[in-house]
């Protein structure tokens, strides 16, 4: 058993590695969870965070794994694996997306749940952190199979979620239709029943309790962050060039909205290929093409390039918006940009980041940069709980307020602790969590 010192005692501190060892985490520098928690522990060290808090935050509260059978269109049954990890709820109900991907593992989900705790604290929404997923490739299933998979998964975790306890949302591979099935299934299964399906999940279709502005929210938040932070780096959105890795929800909306500010997108990559056009690629036109064809490959208004050429394309801003750990040492060495704006969660490995730092490339960390999604999810939840419908203009205005504030808190922490922006963002998030723990103490 791990011993914890009392909240106020603030005992002698231990190094990050010591904490990881104490909570039984592998000493593997390539492990995603070790990497993400390691960054937080680095900030904790710099700000001298009490040891008991480091221990609490180094592991999730609950790790739920479910297995459930589903009937396929062929009449045969397949067994699926699902996850829900609830990292921390000191600041409010667990909150975080559901990833539908053939390669999703418990460690990924744990990392993403941990990032949600940090993100919600930094951006100032009253939530903790959670994340979940199903090990499934949605592209390999018909709509009817997906509906049965999603509804059966919902039934499997129904007792572990709830409008005031744990509120999922979309992530990679999941969409508003999936959220609608989850809301409907949960409402149906709920003993209380009722007609307010929205509050148990966010990212729903507008017609069924969704919020205006939620679909574009993460991309909007990426661009709000860029508008706030670029002037410090002597860059202007209207004269910036940029490239995007991953052109799904986050990548395409970041591209479209940054383009609306006058920036020019010159290279894009996704799981189907790499494309470039120095004269500019229209993000709206490319998004329509990707919607139809499933990827950027074959887009005729740009040239197909190699992976190496993509990373070496000279731009002001590089927006990773695909999956985790995609900017490792080779990519960090190739990148030819001034700023990396992390639309994806944990896209940069610590080793990759060290190279970027050495090369003077600024990183706008994910817990700041991509917090727009959870912020508008919060607005959706508030609307559901109060039976209101907000205008898009109000959603955008409130989102911008949160993003500007979070950027300001990150800058303040950078000044206070004299550190890089990622460490500063974690420090600002940890300060809020520390205050909450000091106020509430630990039961009993
Ligand atoms: P998405 O499924 O809509 O898009 C994912 C994109 O990544 C696709 O374009 C896909 O082609 C690309 N991709 C996948 N594997 C790739 C590979 N090996 N090489 C290149 N590209 C690859 O997902 P999304 O919702 O846009 O999420 C993207 C990232 O943003 C994830 O890290 C997610 O956790 C994070 N995020 C999403 C939201 C949100 O609101 N959707 C909020 C915060 C963070």
């Amino acid at each position: 058993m791990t011993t914890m010192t009392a909240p106020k005692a603030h005992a002698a501190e231990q190094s990050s590695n010591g904490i990881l060892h104490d909570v039984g985490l592998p000493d593997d520098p390539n492990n995603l969870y070790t990497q993400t928690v390691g960054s937080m522990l680095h900030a904790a060290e710099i700000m001298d965070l009490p040891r008991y808090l480091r221990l609490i935050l180094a592991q999730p509260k609950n790790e739920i794994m479910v297995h459930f059978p589903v009937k396929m269109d062929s009449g045969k049954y397949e067994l699926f694996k699902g996850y829900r990890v609830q990292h921390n709820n000191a600041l409010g109900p667990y909150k975080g997306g559901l990833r539908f991907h053939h390669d999703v593992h418990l460690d990924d989900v744990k990392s993403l749940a941990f990032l949600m705790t940090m993100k919600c604290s930094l951006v100032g929404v009253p939530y903790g952190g959670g994340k979940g997923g199903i090990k499934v490739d949605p592209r390999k299933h018909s709509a009817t199979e997906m509906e049965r998979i999603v509804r059966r998964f919902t039934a499997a975790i129904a007792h572990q979620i709830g409008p005031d306890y744990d509120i999922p949302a979309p992530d990679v591979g999941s969409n508003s239709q999936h959220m609608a099935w989850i809301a409907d299934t949960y409402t149906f299964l709920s003993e209380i029943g009722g007609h307010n399906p929205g509050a148990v999940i966010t990212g729903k279709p507008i017609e069924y309790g969704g919020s205006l502005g939620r679909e574009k929210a993460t991309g909007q938040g990426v661009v709000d962050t860029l508008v706030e932070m670029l002037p410090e780096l002597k860059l202007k959105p209207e004269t910036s060039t940029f490239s995007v890795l991953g052109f799904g929800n986050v990548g395409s909306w970041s591209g479209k909205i940054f383009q609306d500010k006058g920036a020019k997108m010159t290279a894009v990559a996704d799981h189907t290929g790499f494309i470039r056009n120095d004269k500019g690629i229209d993000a709206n036109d490319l998004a329509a093409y990707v919607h139809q064809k499933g990827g950027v490959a074959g887009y005729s208004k740009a040239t197909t390039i190699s992976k190496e050429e993509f990373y070496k394309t000279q731009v002001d801003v590089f927006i990773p918006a695909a999956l985790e750990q995609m900017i490792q040492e080779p990519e960090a060495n190739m990148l030819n940009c001034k700023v990396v704006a992390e639309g994806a969660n944990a896209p940069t490995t610590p080793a990759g980041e060290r190279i970027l730092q050495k090369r003077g490339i600024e990183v706008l960390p994910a817990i700041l940069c991509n917090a727009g999604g959870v912020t508008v999810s919060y607005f959706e939840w508030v609307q559901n709980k109060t039976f209101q419908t907000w205008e898009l203009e109000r959603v955008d205005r409130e989102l911008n307020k949160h993003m500007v504030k979070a950027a300001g808190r990150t800058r303040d922490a950078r000044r206070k602790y004299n550190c890089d922006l990622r460490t500063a963002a974690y420090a600002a998030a940890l300060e809020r969590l520390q205050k909450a723990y000091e106020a509430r103490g630990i039961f009993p």
Side-chain angles (χ1 to χ4, degrees):
M1 199 177 74
T2 307
T3 50
M4 296 198 288
T5 44
K8 302 273 175 176
H10 197 158
E13 301 302 340
Q14 217 176 329
S15 72
S16 302
N17 286 346
I19 299 281
L20 292 176
H21 179 265
D22 276 9
V23 295
L25 285 168
D27 189 15
D28 173 5
N30 297 318
N31 177 277
L32 180 64
Y33 191 70
T34 311
Q35 289 179 353
T36 45
V37 170
S39 299
M40 178 275 288
L41 291 174
H42 175 62
E45 188 92 6
I46 284 178
M47 62 190 288
D48 203 18
L49 193 77
R51 175 179 148 75
Y52 82 97
L53 268 179
R54 301 188 202 193
L55 284 171
I56 289 173
L57 295 170
Q59 282 286 40
K61 278 197 168 182
N62 306 312
E63 298 171 29
I64 301 151
M65 213 187 281
V66 293
H67 297 94
F68 53 95
V70 179
K71 196 177 195 174
M72 299 289 100
D73 293 342
S74 65
K76 288 190 176 149
Y77 283 87
E78 269 184 38
L79 191 73
F80 290 86
K81 189 191 277 288
Y83 306 94
R84 187 68 189 168
V85 172
Q86 296 161 336
H87 177 262
N88 188 278
N89 61 352
L91 297 175
Y94 303 107
K95 183 88 187 85
L98 294 172
R99 179 166 295 194
F100 297 169
H101 194 271
H102 62 277
D103 200 24
V104 66
H105 296 284
L106 184 61
D107 263 355
D108 310 334
V109 183
K110 278 174 66 177
S111 307
L112 295 164
F114 158 79
L115 288 171
M116 289 304 297
T117 300
M118 296 295 140
K119 199 179 298 184
C120 292
S121 177
L122 177 65
V123 84
V125 291
Y127 288 137
K131 204 83 180 189
I134 309 176
K135 203 170 172 57
V136 62
D137 183 348
R139 284 181 285 230
K140 292 211 170 121
H141 292 277
S142 66
T144 49
E145 284 183 354
M146 271 318 287
E147 178 169 356
R148 288 196 293 275
I149 293 167
V150 170
R151 286 187 184 277
R152 196 62 167 74
F153 170 67
T154 310
I157 62 161
H159 289 292
Q160 320 281 354
I161 59 173
D164 296 319
Y165 182 68
D166 183 355
I167 307 129
D171 189 67
V172 175
S174 59
N175 57 36
S176 59
Q177 175 61 73
H178 301 140
M179 302 305 113
W181 288 330
I182 292 171
D184 180 63
T185 309
Y186 183 85
T187 308
F188 178 76
L189 292 174
S190 162
E191 278 180 38
I192 310 160
H195 299 284
N196 188 4
V200 73
I201 198 149
T202 56
K204 300 176 296 296
I206 304 293
E207 303 76 20
Y208 187 44
S211 175
L212 291 170
R214 174 58 185 92
E215 197 198 320
K216 67 167 180 140
T218 308
Q220 181 74 56
V222 169
V223 177
D224 284 0
T225 308
L226 281 166
V227 168
E228 196 56 24
M229 302 297 277
L230 285 184
E232 279 200 11
L233 307 164
K234 312 265 179 292
L235 290 170
K236 292 182 189 160
E238 59 273 25
T239 53
S240 292
T241 53
F242 68 103
S243 57
V244 185
L245 171 66
F247 209 69
N249 175 293
V250 179
S252 65
W253 279 108
S254 299
K256 288 189 265 191
I257 299 167
F258 202 24
Q259 177 179 286
D260 287 346
K261 300 275 174 203
K264 186 163 78 172
M265 184 168 80
T266 55
V268 182
D270 71 2
H271 71 287
T272 66
F274 305 84
I275 58 169
R276 174 171 166 178
N277 185 343
D278 291 343
K279 292 199 179 112
I281 298 168
D282 180 64
N284 291 299
D285 192 57
L286 182 63
Y289 176 85
V290 169
H291 184 68
Q292 207 188 1
K293 304 280 183 188
V296 302
Y299 184 65
S300 63
K301 296 170 198 163
T303 312
T304 301
I305 52 172
S306 66
K307 175 180 171 178
E308 199 173 318
E309 285 171 301
F310 170 74
Y311 281 103
K312 287 185 173 169
T313 300
Q314 186 177 6
V315 284
D316 295 308
V317 180
F318 171 68
I319 305 176
L323 300 176
E324 297 77 32
Q325 297 182 309
M326 296 197 74
I327 307 159
Q328 307 199 7
E329 286 137 297
E331 291 79 16
N333 272 315
M334 284 191 280
L335 273 176
N336 193 358
C337 63
K338 294 173 184 146
V339 185
V340 173
E342 292 186 337
N345 283 307
T348 315
T349 63
E353 182 148 20
R354 279 192 289 277
I355 290 171
L356 295 179
Q357 278 170 357
K358 234 184 262 169
R359 296 185 58 216
I361 298 172
E362 189 77 77
V363 178
L364 305 180
I367 64 164
L368 167 65
C369 213
N370 74 22
V374 71
T375 304
V376 178
S377 270
Y378 166 60
F379 300 156
E380 181 177 330
W381 184 72
V382 169
Q383 291 171 72
N384 295 153
K385 282 189 149 277
T386 55
F387 298 96
Q388 289 184 60
T389 310
W390 293 8
E391 300 291 335
L392 179 59
E393 191 263 332
R394 178 174 176 190
V395 172
D396 285 348
R397 192 180 61 237
E398 294 295 327
L399 169 61
N400 184 258
K401 266 196 227 164
H402 277 75
M403 298 308 298
V404 169
K405 222 175 185 172
R409 292 180 69 209
T410 305
R411 277 195 301 258
D412 290 348
R414 175 166 64 176
R415 233 171 281 129
K416 182 170 168 188
Y417 299 110
N418 190 25
C419 58
D420 60 274
L421 280 176
R422 187 182 312 282
T423 308
Y426 277 122
L430 288 170
E431 278 179 354
R432 188 159 170 241
L433 282 156
Q434 181 177 5
K435 282 183 193 147
Y437 270 100
E438 282 175 357
R440 60 185 270 175
I442 295 176
F443 178 80

